[in-house]
Amino acid sequence: MLAQTGQGASAGLSCFLVPAYLPDGSRNQVRVQRLKDKLGNCSNASSEVEFTGAYGWLVGPVGRGIPTILEMGSLTRLDCVLGSAATMRVSARCLAKRWHCSR
């Protein structure tokens, strides 16, 4: 998630990892206040969330939250491409093996 740090608004937005469960197994203090009514793309829900008392870990440098999120998005896309290519390769090998054994 993106949020401002306690260093003031001039530092910009920072990126934080805010898990649902903490390392000790207890739930983090993240509360969904309400889901927003949206026009258009209703499949991607938006909500108002309250983080009072929640724990989060800084990801990337302070004030560089948006570039950090964009980099993570690019890496996620690359991971999806690699997973799809690996699945296609395994499928092609299985198909070739089946075709060879059926002759």
Coordinates of all heavy atoms in Angstrom, one line a residue:
M1 N 0.8 -1.2 0.0 CA 0.0 0.0 0.0 C 0.9 1.2 0.0 O 2.0 1.2 0.4 CB -0.9 0.0 1.2 CG -0.3 0.2 2.5 SD -1.3 0.8 3.8 CE -1.6 2.4 3.2
L2 N 0.3 2.3 -0.4 CA 1.1 3.6 -0.4 C 0.5 4.5 0.7 O -0.7 4.6 0.9 CB 0.9 4.3 -1.8 CG 1.4 3.6 -3.0 CD1 1.0 4.4 -4.3 CD2 2.9 3.5 -2.9
A3 N 1.5 5.1 1.4 CA 1.1 6.0 2.5 C 2.2 7.0 2.7 O 3.4 6.8 2.3 CB 0.8 5.2 3.8
Q4 N 1.9 8.1 3.4 CA 2.9 9.1 3.8 C 3.5 8.6 5.1 O 2.8 8.1 6.0 CB 2.3 10.5 3.9 CG 1.9 11.0 2.6 CD 1.3 12.4 2.7 OE1 1.0 12.9 3.8 NE2 1.2 13.1 1.6
T5 N 4.8 8.8 5.2 CA 5.5 8.5 6.5 C 5.4 9.6 7.4 O 4.9 10.7 7.1 CB 7.0 8.2 6.2 OG1 7.6 9.4 5.6 CG2 7.2 7.1 5.3
G6 N 5.8 9.5 8.6 CA 5.8 10.5 9.7 C 6.8 11.6 9.4 O 6.8 12.6 10.2
Q7 N 7.5 11.6 8.3 CA 8.5 12.6 8.0 C 7.9 13.8 7.3 O 8.7 14.6 6.8 CB 9.7 12.0 7.2 CG 10.4 10.9 7.9 CD 11.4 10.2 7.1 OE1 11.6 10.5 5.9 NE2 12.2 9.3 7.7
G8 N 6.6 13.8 7.2 CA 6.0 15.0 6.5 C 5.6 14.7 5.1 O 6.1 13.8 4.5
A9 N 4.7 15.5 4.6 CA 4.2 15.3 3.3 C 5.2 15.6 2.2 O 5.0 15.2 1.1 CB 2.9 16.2 3.1
S10 N 6.2 16.4 2.5 CA 7.2 16.7 1.5 C 8.0 15.5 1.1 O 8.6 15.5 0.0 CB 8.1 17.8 2.0 OG 8.8 17.4 3.1
A11 N 8.1 14.5 1.9 CA 8.8 13.3 1.5 C 8.1 12.5 0.4 O 8.8 11.7 -0.2 CB 9.0 12.4 2.7
G12 N 6.8 12.6 0.2 CA 6.1 11.9 -0.8 C 5.6 10.6 -0.2 O 5.7 10.3 0.9
L13 N 5.0 9.8 -1.1 CA 4.4 8.5 -0.7 C 5.4 7.5 -0.6 O 6.4 7.4 -1.5 CB 3.3 8.1 -1.7 CG 2.1 9.0 -1.8 CD1 1.2 8.6 -3.0 CD2 1.3 9.0 -0.5
S14 N 5.3 6.6 0.3 CA 6.2 5.4 0.5 C 5.4 4.2 0.4 O 4.2 4.1 0.6 CB 6.9 5.5 1.9 OG 7.6 6.7 2.0
C15 N 6.0 3.1 0.0 CA 5.4 1.8 -0.2 C 5.6 0.9 1.1 O 6.7 0.8 1.6 CB 6.0 1.1 -1.4 SG 5.2 -0.5 -1.8
F16 N 4.5 0.3 1.5 CA 4.5 -0.5 2.7 C 3.9 -1.9 2.4 O 2.9 -2.0 1.7 CB 3.7 0.1 3.9 CG 4.4 1.4 4.4 CD1 4.1 2.6 3.8 CD2 5.3 1.3 5.4 CE1 4.6 3.8 4.3 CE2 5.9 2.5 5.9 CZ 5.5 3.7 5.4
L17 N 4.4 -2.9 3.1 CA 3.8 -4.2 3.1 C 3.0 -4.3 4.4 O 3.5 -4.2 5.5 CB 4.9 -5.3 3.1 CG 4.3 -6.7 3.3 CD1 3.5 -7.2 2.1 CD2 5.5 -7.7 3.5
V18 N 1.7 -4.5 4.2 CA 0.8 -4.5 5.4 C 0.1 -5.9 5.3 O -0.9 -6.0 4.6 CB -0.2 -3.4 5.4 CG1 -1.1 -3.4 6.6 CG2 0.5 -2.0 5.3
P19 N 0.6 -6.9 6.0 CA 0.0 -8.2 6.0 C -1.3 -8.3 6.7 O -1.6 -7.6 7.7 CB 1.1 -9.1 6.6 CG 1.7 -8.3 7.5 CD 1.7 -6.9 6.9
A20 N -2.1 -9.3 6.4 CA -3.4 -9.6 7.1 C -3.1 -10.2 8.5 O -3.7 -9.9 9.5 CB -4.3 -10.5 6.3
Y21 N -2.0 -11.0 8.5 CA -1.6 -11.7 9.8 C -0.2 -11.3 10.1 O 0.7 -11.2 9.2 CB -1.7 -13.2 9.7 CG -3.1 -13.7 9.6 CD1 -3.7 -13.9 8.3 CD2 -3.9 -14.0 10.7 CE1 -5.0 -14.3 8.2 CE2 -5.2 -14.4 10.6 CZ -5.8 -14.6 9.4 OH -7.0 -15.0 9.3
L22 N 0.1 -11.1 11.4 CA 1.4 -10.7 11.8 C 2.3 -12.0 12.0 O 1.7 -13.1 12.1 CB 1.3 -9.9 13.1 CG 0.6 -8.6 13.0 CD1 0.4 -7.9 14.3 CD2 1.4 -7.6 12.1
P23 N 3.6 -11.9 12.2 CA 4.4 -13.0 12.3 C 4.1 -13.9 13.6 O 4.3 -15.1 13.6 CB 5.9 -12.5 12.5 CG 5.8 -11.2 11.7 CD 4.4 -10.7 12.0
D24 N 3.5 -13.3 14.6 CA 3.1 -14.1 15.8 C 1.8 -14.8 15.6 O 1.3 -15.5 16.5 CB 3.1 -13.2 17.0 CG 2.0 -12.1 17.0 OD1 1.3 -12.0 16.0 OD2 1.9 -11.3 18.0
G25 N 1.1 -14.6 14.4 CA -0.1 -15.3 14.2 C -1.4 -14.5 14.4 O -2.5 -14.9 14.1
S26 N -1.3 -13.4 15.1 CA -2.4 -12.5 15.4 C -2.8 -11.7 14.1 O -2.0 -11.5 13.2 CB -2.1 -11.6 16.5 OG -1.1 -10.7 16.2
R27 N -4.0 -11.2 14.1 CA -4.5 -10.5 12.9 C -4.0 -9.0 13.0 O -3.9 -8.5 14.1 CB -6.0 -10.5 12.9 CG -6.5 -11.8 12.5 CD -7.8 -11.9 11.8 NE -8.1 -10.8 10.9 CZ -8.2 -11.0 9.6 NH1 -8.0 -12.1 9.1 NH2 -8.5 -10.0 8.8
N28 N -3.6 -8.5 11.9 CA -3.2 -7.1 11.9 C -4.5 -6.2 12.0 O -5.6 -6.6 11.7 CB -2.5 -6.8 10.6 CG -1.5 -5.6 10.6 OD1 -1.5 -4.9 11.6 ND2 -0.7 -5.5 9.6
Q29 N -4.3 -5.0 12.4 CA -5.4 -4.0 12.7 C -5.8 -3.3 11.4 O -5.8 -2.1 11.3 CB -5.0 -3.0 13.8 CG -4.7 -3.7 15.1 CD -5.9 -4.3 15.7 OE1 -7.0 -3.8 15.7 NE2 -5.7 -5.5 16.2
V30 N -6.2 -4.1 10.4 CA -6.7 -3.5 9.1 C -8.2 -3.7 9.1 O -8.7 -4.8 9.2 CB -6.0 -4.2 7.9 CG1 -6.6 -3.6 6.6 CG2 -4.5 -4.0 8.0
R31 N -9.0 -2.6 8.9 CA -10.4 -2.7 8.9 C -11.0 -2.1 7.7 O -10.7 -0.9 7.4 CB -11.0 -2.0 10.2 CG -10.7 -2.8 11.4 CD -11.4 -2.2 12.6 NE -11.3 -3.0 13.8 CZ -10.3 -3.2 14.5 NH1 -9.1 -2.7 14.1 NH2 -10.3 -3.9 15.6
V32 N -11.8 -2.8 7.0 CA -12.5 -2.3 5.8 C -13.7 -1.5 6.3 O -14.6 -2.1 6.9 CB -12.9 -3.4 4.8 CG1 -13.7 -2.8 3.6 CG2 -11.7 -4.1 4.3
Q33 N -13.8 -0.2 6.1 CA -14.9 0.6 6.5 C -16.2 0.4 5.6 O -17.3 0.2 6.1 CB -14.5 2.1 6.6 CG -13.4 2.3 7.6 CD -13.8 1.9 9.0 OE1 -15.0 2.2 9.4 NE2 -12.9 1.3 9.7
R34 N -15.9 0.5 4.3 CA -17.1 0.3 3.4 C -16.5 0.0 2.0 O -15.4 0.4 1.6 CB -18.0 1.5 3.4 CG -17.5 2.7 2.7 CD -18.5 3.9 2.6 NE -18.0 5.0 1.9 CZ -18.3 5.2 0.6 NH1 -19.1 4.4 -0.1 NH2 -17.7 6.2 -0.1
L35 N -17.3 -0.6 1.2 CA -17.0 -0.8 -0.3 C -17.6 0.4 -1.0 O -18.7 0.8 -0.7 CB -17.5 -2.1 -0.8 CG -16.9 -3.4 -0.3 CD1 -17.6 -4.6 -0.8 CD2 -15.4 -3.4 -0.6
K36 N -16.9 0.9 -1.9 CA -17.4 2.1 -2.7 C -18.3 1.7 -3.8 O -18.1 0.6 -4.4 CB -16.2 2.9 -3.2 CG -15.3 3.5 -2.2 CD -14.2 4.3 -2.8 CE -13.3 4.9 -1.8 NZ -12.2 5.7 -2.4
D37 N -19.3 2.5 -4.1 CA -20.2 2.3 -5.2 C -19.4 2.9 -6.4 O -19.0 4.0 -6.4 CB -21.5 3.1 -5.0 CG -22.3 2.5 -3.9 OD1 -22.3 1.2 -3.7 OD2 -23.0 3.2 -3.2
K38 N -19.3 2.0 -7.5 CA -18.5 2.5 -8.6 C -19.3 2.3 -9.9 O -20.2 1.5 -10.0 CB -17.3 1.6 -8.8 CG -16.2 1.8 -7.7 CD -15.1 0.8 -7.9 CE -14.4 0.8 -9.2 NZ -13.2 0.0 -9.3
L39 N -19.0 3.2 -10.9 CA -19.6 3.0 -12.2 C -18.5 2.4 -13.1 O -17.3 2.6 -12.8 CB -20.0 4.4 -12.8 CG -21.1 5.2 -12.0 CD1 -21.2 6.6 -12.6 CD2 -22.4 4.4 -12.2
G40 N -18.9 1.6 -14.0 CA -17.9 1.1 -14.9 C -17.4 -0.3 -14.4 O -18.2 -1.2 -14.3
N41 N -16.1 -0.4 -14.1 CA -15.5 -1.7 -13.8 C -15.8 -2.1 -12.4 O -15.1 -1.7 -11.4 CB -14.0 -1.6 -14.0 CG -13.3 -2.9 -13.8 OD1 -14.0 -3.9 -13.6 ND2 -12.0 -2.9 -14.0
C42 N -16.9 -2.8 -12.2 CA -17.4 -3.2 -10.8 C -16.6 -4.4 -10.3 O -16.7 -4.8 -9.1 CB -18.8 -3.4 -10.8 SG -19.8 -2.0 -11.2
S43 N -15.9 -5.1 -11.2 CA -15.2 -6.3 -10.7 C -14.0 -6.0 -9.9 O -13.5 -6.9 -9.2 CB -14.8 -7.2 -11.9 OG -13.9 -6.5 -12.8
N44 N -13.4 -4.8 -10.0 CA -12.3 -4.4 -9.2 C -12.8 -3.5 -8.1 O -13.0 -2.3 -8.3 CB -11.2 -3.7 -10.0 CG -10.6 -4.6 -11.0 OD1 -10.4 -5.8 -10.7 ND2 -10.2 -4.0 -12.1
A45 N -13.1 -4.1 -6.9 CA -13.7 -3.4 -5.8 C -12.8 -2.4 -5.2 O -11.6 -2.6 -5.1 CB -14.2 -4.3 -4.8
S46 N -13.3 -1.2 -4.9 CA -12.5 -0.2 -4.2 C -13.2 -0.1 -2.8 O -14.4 -0.3 -2.6 CB -12.6 1.2 -4.8 OG -12.0 1.1 -6.1
S47 N -12.3 0.2 -1.8 CA -12.9 0.3 -0.4 C -12.2 1.4 0.3 O -11.1 1.9 -0.1 CB -12.7 -1.0 0.3 OG -11.3 -1.3 0.4
E48 N -12.8 1.8 1.4 CA -12.2 2.7 2.4 C -11.7 1.8 3.5 O -12.4 1.1 4.1 CB -13.2 3.7 2.9 CG -13.6 4.7 1.8 CD -14.6 5.7 2.3 OE1 -14.9 5.7 3.5 OE2 -15.1 6.5 1.4
V49 N -10.4 2.0 3.8 CA -9.7 1.1 4.8 C -9.1 1.9 5.9 O -8.6 3.0 5.7 CB -8.6 0.3 4.1 CG1 -8.0 -0.7 5.1 CG2 -9.1 -0.5 2.9
E50 N -9.2 1.4 7.1 CA -8.7 2.1 8.3 C -7.5 1.3 8.8 O -7.6 0.0 9.0 CB -9.7 2.2 9.4 CG -9.3 3.0 10.6 CD -10.4 3.1 11.6 OE1 -11.4 3.5 11.2 OE2 -10.1 2.7 12.8
F51 N -6.4 1.9 9.0 CA -5.1 1.2 9.4 C -4.7 1.7 10.8 O -3.5 1.5 11.1 CB -4.0 1.6 8.4 CG -4.3 1.0 7.1 CD1 -4.7 1.8 6.0 CD2 -4.0 -0.3 6.8 CE1 -4.9 1.3 4.8 CE2 -4.3 -0.8 5.5 CZ -4.7 0.0 4.5
T52 N -5.6 2.1 11.7 CA -5.2 2.6 13.0 C -4.7 1.4 13.8 O -5.4 0.4 14.0 CB -6.4 3.2 13.7 OG1 -7.0 4.2 12.9 CG2 -6.1 3.7 15.1
G53 N -3.4 1.5 14.2 CA -2.8 0.4 15.0 C -2.2 -0.7 14.1 O -1.8 -1.7 14.7
A54 N -2.3 -0.6 12.8 CA -1.8 -1.7 12.0 C -0.3 -1.6 11.8 O 0.3 -0.5 11.9 CB -2.4 -1.5 10.6
Y55 N 0.4 -2.7 11.6 CA 1.8 -2.8 11.4 C 2.1 -3.0 10.0 O 1.4 -3.7 9.3 CB 2.4 -4.0 12.2 CG 2.4 -3.7 13.7 CD1 1.4 -4.2 14.5 CD2 3.4 -3.0 14.3 CE1 1.4 -4.0 15.9 CE2 3.4 -2.7 15.7 CZ 2.4 -3.2 16.5 OH 2.4 -3.0 17.8
G56 N 3.1 -2.3 9.5 CA 3.5 -2.4 8.1 C 5.0 -2.3 8.0 O 5.7 -1.7 8.9
W57 N 5.6 -2.8 7.0 CA 7.0 -2.8 6.8 C 7.3 -2.0 5.5 O 6.7 -2.2 4.5 CB 7.6 -4.2 6.6 CG 7.6 -4.9 7.9 CD1 8.5 -4.9 8.9 CD2 6.5 -5.8 8.4 NE1 8.0 -5.7 10.0 CE2 6.8 -6.3 9.6 CE3 5.3 -6.2 7.8 CZ2 6.0 -7.1 10.4 CZ3 4.5 -7.0 8.5 CH2 4.9 -7.5 9.8
L58 N 8.2 -1.0 5.6 CA 8.6 -0.2 4.5 C 9.3 -1.1 3.4 O 10.2 -1.9 3.7 CB 9.6 0.9 4.9 CG 10.0 1.9 3.9 CD1 8.9 2.7 3.4 CD2 11.1 2.8 4.5
V59 N 8.8 -0.9 2.1 CA 9.4 -1.6 1.0 C 10.0 -0.5 0.1 O 9.3 0.4 -0.4 CB 8.3 -2.3 0.2 CG1 8.9 -3.0 -1.0 CG2 7.6 -3.4 1.1
G60 N 11.3 -0.5 -0.1 CA 11.9 0.5 -0.9 C 12.3 1.7 -0.1 O 12.0 1.8 1.1
P61 N 12.8 2.7 -0.7 CA 13.2 3.9 0.0 C 12.0 4.8 0.3 O 11.0 4.8 -0.3 CB 14.2 4.7 -1.0 CG 14.0 4.0 -2.3 CD 13.3 2.7 -2.1
V62 N 12.2 5.6 1.4 CA 11.1 6.6 1.8 C 10.9 7.6 0.7 O 11.8 8.1 0.1 CB 11.6 7.3 3.1 CG1 10.5 8.4 3.5 CG2 11.7 6.3 4.2
G63 N 9.6 7.8 0.4 CA 9.2 8.8 -0.6 C 9.3 8.3 -2.1 O 9.0 9.0 -3.0
R64 N 9.6 7.0 -2.3 CA 9.7 6.5 -3.6 C 8.7 5.3 -3.8 O 9.0 4.3 -4.4 CB 11.1 5.9 -3.9 CG 12.2 6.9 -3.7 CD 12.4 7.8 -5.0 NE 12.7 7.0 -6.1 CZ 12.4 7.4 -7.4 NH1 12.0 8.6 -7.6 NH2 12.7 6.6 -8.4
G65 N 7.5 5.5 -3.2 CA 6.5 4.5 -3.3 C 6.0 4.1 -4.6 O 5.8 3.0 -5.0
I66 N 5.7 5.2 -5.4 CA 5.1 4.9 -6.8 C 6.1 4.2 -7.7 O 5.7 3.2 -8.3 CB 4.5 6.2 -7.4 CG1 3.3 6.6 -6.5 CG2 4.1 6.0 -8.8 CD1 2.7 8.0 -6.9
P67 N 7.4 4.6 -7.7 CA 8.3 3.9 -8.6 C 8.5 2.4 -8.0 O 8.7 1.5 -8.8 CB 9.6 4.7 -8.4 CG 9.2 6.0 -8.1 CD 8.0 5.9 -7.3
T68 N 8.4 2.2 -6.7 CA 8.5 0.9 -6.2 C 7.4 0.0 -6.6 O 7.6 -1.1 -7.0 CB 8.6 0.9 -4.6 OG1 9.7 1.8 -4.2 CG2 8.8 -0.4 -4.0
I69 N 6.1 0.6 -6.5 CA 5.0 -0.2 -7.0 C 5.1 -0.5 -8.5 O 4.7 -1.6 -8.9 CB 3.7 0.6 -6.7 CG1 3.4 0.7 -5.2 CG2 2.5 0.1 -7.5 CD1 2.7 -0.5 -4.6
L70 N 5.5 0.4 -9.3 CA 5.6 0.2 -10.7 C 6.7 -0.9 -11.0 O 6.4 -1.7 -11.9 CB 6.0 1.5 -11.5 CG 4.9 2.6 -11.5 CD1 5.4 3.8 -12.1 CD2 3.7 2.1 -12.2
E71 N 7.8 -0.9 -10.3 CA 8.8 -1.9 -10.5 C 8.2 -3.3 -10.1 O 8.5 -4.3 -10.8 CB 10.0 -1.6 -9.6 CG 11.1 -2.6 -9.8 CD 12.3 -2.3 -8.9 OE1 12.4 -1.2 -8.3 OE2 13.3 -3.1 -8.9
M72 N 7.5 -3.4 -9.0 CA 6.9 -4.6 -8.6 C 5.9 -5.1 -9.6 O 5.8 -6.3 -9.9 CB 6.2 -4.5 -7.2 CG 7.2 -4.5 -6.1 SD 6.5 -4.7 -4.4 CE 5.5 -3.2 -4.3
G73 N 5.1 -4.2 -10.2 CA 4.2 -4.6 -11.3 C 4.9 -5.2 -12.5 O 4.4 -6.2 -13.0
S74 N 6.0 -4.6 -12.9 CA 6.8 -5.1 -14.0 C 7.3 -6.5 -13.7 O 7.3 -7.3 -14.5 CB 7.9 -4.1 -14.3 OG 7.4 -2.9 -14.7
L75 N 7.8 -6.7 -12.5 CA 8.4 -8.0 -12.1 C 7.3 -9.0 -12.0 O 7.5 -10.2 -12.4 CB 9.1 -7.9 -10.8 CG 10.4 -7.0 -10.8 CD1 10.9 -6.9 -9.4 CD2 11.4 -7.7 -11.7
T76 N 6.1 -8.6 -11.6 CA 4.9 -9.5 -11.6 C 4.6 -10.0 -13.0 O 4.3 -11.1 -13.2 CB 3.7 -8.9 -10.8 OG1 4.1 -8.6 -9.5 CG2 2.6 -9.8 -10.8
R77 N 4.5 -9.0 -13.9 CA 4.2 -9.4 -15.3 C 5.3 -10.3 -15.9 O 4.9 -11.3 -16.6 CB 4.2 -8.1 -16.2 CG 2.9 -7.3 -15.9 CD 2.8 -6.1 -16.9 NE 1.9 -5.2 -16.4 CZ 2.1 -4.1 -15.7 NH1 3.3 -3.8 -15.4 NH2 1.1 -3.3 -15.3
L78 N 6.5 -10.1 -15.6 CA 7.6 -10.9 -16.1 C 7.4 -12.3 -15.5 O 7.6 -13.4 -16.2 CB 9.0 -10.4 -15.7 CG 10.2 -11.2 -16.1 CD1 10.2 -11.4 -17.6 CD2 11.4 -10.6 -15.6
D79 N 7.1 -12.4 -14.2 CA 6.8 -13.7 -13.6 C 5.7 -14.5 -14.2 O 5.8 -15.7 -14.4 CB 6.6 -13.5 -12.1 CG 6.5 -14.8 -11.3 OD1 7.4 -15.7 -11.6 OD2 5.7 -15.0 -10.4
C80 N 4.6 -13.8 -14.6 CA 3.5 -14.4 -15.2 C 3.9 -14.9 -16.6 O 3.5 -16.0 -17.0 CB 2.3 -13.4 -15.4 SG 1.5 -13.0 -13.8
V81 N 4.7 -14.1 -17.3 CA 5.2 -14.6 -18.7 C 6.0 -15.8 -18.5 O 5.9 -16.8 -19.3 CB 5.9 -13.4 -19.4 CG1 6.7 -13.9 -20.6 CG2 5.0 -12.3 -19.7
L82 N 6.9 -15.8 -17.6 CA 7.8 -17.0 -17.4 C 7.0 -18.2 -17.0 O 7.2 -19.3 -17.5 CB 8.8 -16.7 -16.3 CG 9.9 -15.7 -16.7 CD1 10.8 -15.4 -15.5 CD2 10.7 -16.2 -17.9
G83 N 6.0 -18.1 -16.1 CA 5.1 -19.2 -15.8 C 4.3 -19.7 -16.9 O 4.2 -21.0 -17.1
S84 N 3.8 -18.8 -17.8 CA 3.1 -19.3 -19.0 C 4.0 -20.0 -20.0 O 3.6 -21.0 -20.5 CB 2.4 -18.1 -19.6 OG 1.5 -17.5 -18.8
A85 N 5.2 -19.5 -20.2 CA 6.1 -20.1 -21.1 C 6.5 -21.5 -20.6 O 6.6 -22.4 -21.4 CB 7.3 -19.2 -21.3
A86 N 6.7 -21.6 -19.3 CA 7.1 -22.9 -18.7 C 6.0 -23.9 -18.9 O 6.2 -25.1 -19.2 CB 7.5 -22.8 -17.3
T87 N 4.7 -23.5 -18.7 CA 3.6 -24.4 -18.8 C 3.4 -24.8 -20.3 O 3.2 -26.0 -20.6 CB 2.3 -23.6 -18.4 OG1 2.5 -23.3 -17.0 CG2 1.1 -24.5 -18.5
M88 N 3.6 -23.9 -21.2 CA 3.5 -24.2 -22.6 C 4.6 -25.2 -23.0 O 4.4 -26.1 -23.8 CB 3.7 -22.9 -23.5 CG 2.4 -22.0 -23.4 SD 2.7 -20.4 -24.2 CE 3.0 -21.0 -25.9
R89 N 5.8 -25.0 -22.5 CA 6.9 -25.9 -22.8 C 6.7 -27.3 -22.3 O 6.9 -28.3 -23.0 CB 8.2 -25.4 -22.2 CG 9.4 -26.2 -22.5 CD 10.7 -25.6 -22.1 NE 11.8 -26.4 -22.5 CZ 12.8 -26.7 -21.8 NH1 12.9 -26.3 -20.6 NH2 13.8 -27.4 -22.3
V90 N 6.2 -27.4 -21.1 CA 5.9 -28.8 -20.5 C 4.8 -29.4 -21.3 O 4.8 -30.6 -21.6 CB 5.5 -28.6 -19.0 CG1 4.9 -29.9 -18.5 CG2 6.7 -28.2 -18.2
S91 N 3.7 -28.6 -21.7 CA 2.6 -29.2 -22.4 C 3.1 -29.7 -23.8 O 2.7 -30.7 -24.3 CB 1.5 -28.1 -22.6 OG 1.0 -27.7 -21.4
A92 N 4.0 -28.9 -24.4 CA 4.5 -29.3 -25.7 C 5.3 -30.6 -25.6 O 5.2 -31.5 -26.5 CB 5.3 -28.2 -26.4
R93 N 6.1 -30.7 -24.6 CA 6.9 -31.9 -24.4 C 6.0 -33.1 -24.2 O 6.2 -34.2 -24.7 CB 7.9 -31.8 -23.2 CG 9.0 -30.8 -23.5 CD 9.9 -30.7 -22.4 NE 10.8 -31.8 -22.2 CZ 11.5 -32.1 -21.2 NH1 11.5 -31.3 -20.2 NH2 12.2 -33.2 -21.1
C94 N 5.0 -33.0 -23.3 CA 4.0 -34.1 -23.1 C 3.3 -34.5 -24.3 O 3.1 -35.7 -24.6 CB 3.1 -33.7 -22.0 SG 3.8 -33.6 -20.4
L95 N 2.9 -33.5 -25.1 CA 2.2 -33.8 -26.4 C 3.1 -34.5 -27.4 O 2.7 -35.5 -28.0 CB 1.7 -32.5 -27.0 CG 0.8 -32.6 -28.2 CD1 -0.4 -33.4 -28.0 CD2 0.5 -31.2 -28.8
A96 N 4.3 -34.1 -27.5 CA 5.3 -34.7 -28.4 C 5.6 -36.1 -27.9 O 5.7 -37.1 -28.8 CB 6.6 -33.9 -28.4
K97 N 5.7 -36.4 -26.6 CA 6.0 -37.7 -26.1 C 4.8 -38.6 -26.4 O 4.9 -39.8 -26.8 CB 6.2 -37.6 -24.6 CG 6.7 -38.9 -24.0 CD 7.1 -38.7 -22.6 CE 7.6 -40.0 -22.0 NZ 8.0 -39.8 -20.6
R98 N 3.6 -38.1 -26.2 CA 2.4 -38.9 -26.4 C 2.2 -39.2 -27.9 O 1.9 -40.3 -28.3 CB 1.1 -38.1 -26.0 CG 0.7 -38.4 -24.7 CD -0.7 -37.8 -24.5 NE -1.6 -38.9 -24.0 CZ -2.6 -38.6 -23.3 NH1 -3.0 -37.4 -23.0 NH2 -3.4 -39.6 -22.8
W99 N 2.5 -38.3 -28.8 CA 2.4 -38.5 -30.2 C 3.4 -39.5 -30.7 O 3.2 -40.4 -31.5 CB 2.6 -37.1 -30.9 CG 2.5 -37.2 -32.4 CD1 1.3 -37.4 -33.1 CD2 3.5 -37.2 -33.4 NE1 1.6 -37.5 -34.4 CE2 2.9 -37.4 -34.6 CE3 4.9 -37.1 -33.3 CZ2 3.7 -37.4 -35.8 CZ3 5.6 -37.1 -34.4 CH2 5.0 -37.2 -35.7
H100 N 4.7 -39.4 -30.1 CA 5.7 -40.3 -30.5 C 5.4 -41.8 -30.0 O 5.6 -42.7 -30.7 CB 7.0 -39.9 -29.8 CG 8.2 -40.8 -30.1 ND1 8.7 -41.0 -31.4 CD2 8.8 -41.7 -29.3 CE1 9.7 -41.9 -31.3 NE2 9.8 -42.3 -30.0
C101 N 4.8 -41.9 -28.8 CA 4.5 -43.2 -28.3 C 3.2 -43.8 -29.0 O 3.1 -45.1 -28.9 CB 4.2 -43.1 -26.8 SG 5.7 -42.8 -25.8
S102 N 2.4 -43.0 -29.6 CA 1.2 -43.5 -30.2 C 1.4 -44.1 -31.6 O 0.6 -44.7 -32.2 CB 0.1 -42.5 -30.3 OG 0.5 -41.4 -31.1
R103 N 2.6 -43.8 -32.1 CA 2.9 -44.3 -33.5 C 3.4 -45.6 -33.5 O 4.0 -46.3 -32.8 CB 3.9 -43.3 -34.1 CG 3.3 -41.9 -34.3 CD 4.3 -41.0 -35.0 NE 3.7 -40.9 -36.3 CZ 4.4 -40.6 -37.4 NH1 5.7 -40.4 -37.3 NH2 3.9 -40.4 -38.5

